[in-house]
């Protein structure tokens, strides 16, 4: 494999990018000046260096965004701006697949609680769900929180999403029942096969209102 094929393979691993698009990215970079390439690599490095993972919701965020985190380097927990915002409703926890889903829900403005990013979906027939999603971390998160009243499952209504929902629901029910935490699922305003990431704000608002 030569270097351009290697780069193509890396781009093809990006979410939503197929082999043809990956090849176009490689040709695009081949046409760019050395200065552009240098800046490109530098920017990627800077993003990676300033990226933090929130210990509460597992969301990746850029340090500059979280003004509240700045003065408190002493604090052990790394928390994102949402988890450290005392105006959020701490009694509700929404479980979403990825950061992009979180962004869609935030944009809708319909939700003021906290989040947990699952980090992926479990394909049907997959034998090791723990390797696909942050199930252990989610269970710890719920166990260590005494103030939760409701957990909202906001996963995709694709077959893999539904499968993941079943696994997560089964796992958290055992913890939620003795703590009297209600488990709800986003309403069917979100049509079958829909991915939360691409839902518009009105759809999300309705699905949240009609949660069961
Ligand atoms: Zn967080």
């Amino acid at each position: 494999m030569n270097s351009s094929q290697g780069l193509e393979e890396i781009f093809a691993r990006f979410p939503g990018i197929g082999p043809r698009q990956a090849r176009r990215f490689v040709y695009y970079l081949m046409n760019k000046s050395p200065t552009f390439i240098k800046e490109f690599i530098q920017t990627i490095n800077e993003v990676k260096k300033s990226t933090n993972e929130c210990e509460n919701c597992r969301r990746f965020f850029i340090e500059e965004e979280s003004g509240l985190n700045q003065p408190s380097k002493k604090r052990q927990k790394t928390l994102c701006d949402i988890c450290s915002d005392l105006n959020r409703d701490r009694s509700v926890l929404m479980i979403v697949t990825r950061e992009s889903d979180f962004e869609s829900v935030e944009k809708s403005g319909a939700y003021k609680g906290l989040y947990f990013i699952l980090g992926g979906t479990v394909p049907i027939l997959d034998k090791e769900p723990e390797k696909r999603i942050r199930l252990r971390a989610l269970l710890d998160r719920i166990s260590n929180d005494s103030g939760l009243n409701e957990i909202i499952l906001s996963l995709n209504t694709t077959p893999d999403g539904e499968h993941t929902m079943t696994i997560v629901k089964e796992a958290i029910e055992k913890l939620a029942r003795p703590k009297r935490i209600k488990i709800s699922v986003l309403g069917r305003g979100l049509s079958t096969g829909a991915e939360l990431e691409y839902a518009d704000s009105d759809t999300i608002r309705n699905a949240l209102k009609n949660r069961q």
Side-chain angles (χ1 to χ4, degrees):
M1 191 191 295
N2 64 36
S3 58
S4 85
Q5 285 166 330
L7 185 57
E8 198 178 307
E9 206 173 75
I10 292 172
F11 280 132
R13 278 184 238 150
F14 280 39
I17 301 299
R20 275 182 63 177
Q21 280 160 306
R23 202 167 313 134
R24 283 174 65 193
F25 285 179
V26 173
Y27 280 120
Y28 175 78
L29 289 176
M30 281 174 166
N31 278 291
K32 287 300 192 184
S33 69
T35 317
F36 176 90
I37 300 296
K38 208 176 137 199
E39 278 173 12
F40 179 53
I41 294 168
Q42 217 172 341
T43 310
I44 294 175
N45 274 326
E46 275 161 22
V47 167
K48 192 62 201 166
K49 248 189 271 167
S50 51
T51 299
N52 275 317
E53 187 182 7
C54 175
E55 287 181 38
N56 221 20
C57 67
R58 303 284 154 171
R59 187 162 71 91
F60 288 98
F61 64 101
I62 301 294
E63 197 157 21
E64 294 92 59
E65 276 179 6
S66 56
L68 281 167
N69 269 348
Q70 297 295 358
S72 52
K73 282 273 181 232
K74 282 170 258 147
R75 184 165 54 194
Q76 267 131 13
K77 268 199 158 189
T78 310
L79 295 178
C80 71
D81 53 347
I82 302 262
C83 291
S84 49
D85 182 352
L86 297 173
N87 292 319
R88 305 287 302 205
D89 181 354
R90 292 177 177 271
S91 68
V92 198
L93 182 69
M94 181 185 280
I95 303 173
V96 294
T97 313
R98 295 188 190 285
E99 275 89 351
S100 40
D101 302 305
F102 149 81
E103 270 175 23
S104 298
V105 177
E106 267 307 280
K107 216 177 84 190
S108 79
Y111 179 70
K112 294 290 169 225
L114 299 181
Y115 294 89
F116 185 87
I117 317 280
L118 212 47
T121 48
V122 184
I124 297 167
L125 298 177
D126 192 280
K127 294 274 181 285
E128 293 174 299
E130 277 86 358
K131 286 191 177 161
R132 303 276 185 169
I133 54 173
R134 300 183 179 111
L135 197 55
R136 188 68 257 162
L138 173 63
L139 297 176
D140 288 345
R141 164 78 180 79
I142 297 169
S143 308
N144 298 330
D145 193 332
S146 54
L148 279 181
N149 287 329
E150 185 182 1
I151 296 171
I152 308 173
L153 285 159
S154 301
L155 306 182
N156 297 330
T157 57
T158 55
D160 285 355
E162 300 276 7
H163 181 59
T164 311
M165 180 110 70
T166 311
I167 292 171
V168 173
K169 211 173 169 186
E170 223 176 78
I172 62 175
E173 257 168 2
K174 290 175 205 134
L175 282 177
R177 207 171 298 132
K179 290 176 143 212
R180 292 170 185 272
I181 303 169
K182 183 185 165 198
I183 299 174
S184 54
V185 175
L186 222 55
R188 286 293 160 242
L190 216 62
S191 57
T192 307
E195 297 196 35
L196 195 61
E197 179 184 352
Y198 303 113
D200 60 64
S201 292
D202 280 340
T203 309
I204 291 176
R205 226 169 283 141
N206 283 330
L208 204 55
K209 214 189 291 167
N210 299 321
R211 65 184 186 266
Q212 295 142 355

